Amino acid sequence: MTEKEKALDLWLMYYELIDDIYSNYAAKEIAKRYASIAVDEILSAHLFDLDEREYWIAVKQEIERIK
């Protein structure tokens, strides 16, 4: 899975969990934050090699680009 695909996958997973009381814009931003936190947790685990770390850093950058 590419970094962009993984970012969208994580984002969508959280977006679908957000209550309908939020506006579409707010829900998108909340989902971005949740996905970013998930990647931060993965990065803090230190259980992978440099290539995998770079992959997750790129995923986080892609999450930030989601509009």
Side-chain angles (χ1 to χ4, degrees), residues 8-61:
L8 287 171
D9 185 53
L10 283 170
W11 174 82
L12 184 59
M13 180 178 61
Y14 287 108
Y15 181 75
E16 291 175 343
L17 295 174
I18 296 171
D19 197 330
D20 291 341
I21 63 168
Y22 295 99
S23 71
N24 192 40
Y25 175 79
K28 287 179 180 180
E29 291 301 310
I30 292 167
K32 281 173 63 172
R33 185 67 186 128
Y34 288 164
S36 183
I37 290 169
V39 173
D40 286 342
E41 289 298 314
I42 291 166
L43 286 168
S44 70
H46 304 293
L47 300 175
F48 36 72
D49 62 30
L50 184 58
D51 288 340
E52 291 171 310
R53 182 170 178 73
E54 289 175 3
Y55 171 82
W56 286 107
I57 290 169
V59 169
K60 186 168 180 180
Q61 291 169 344

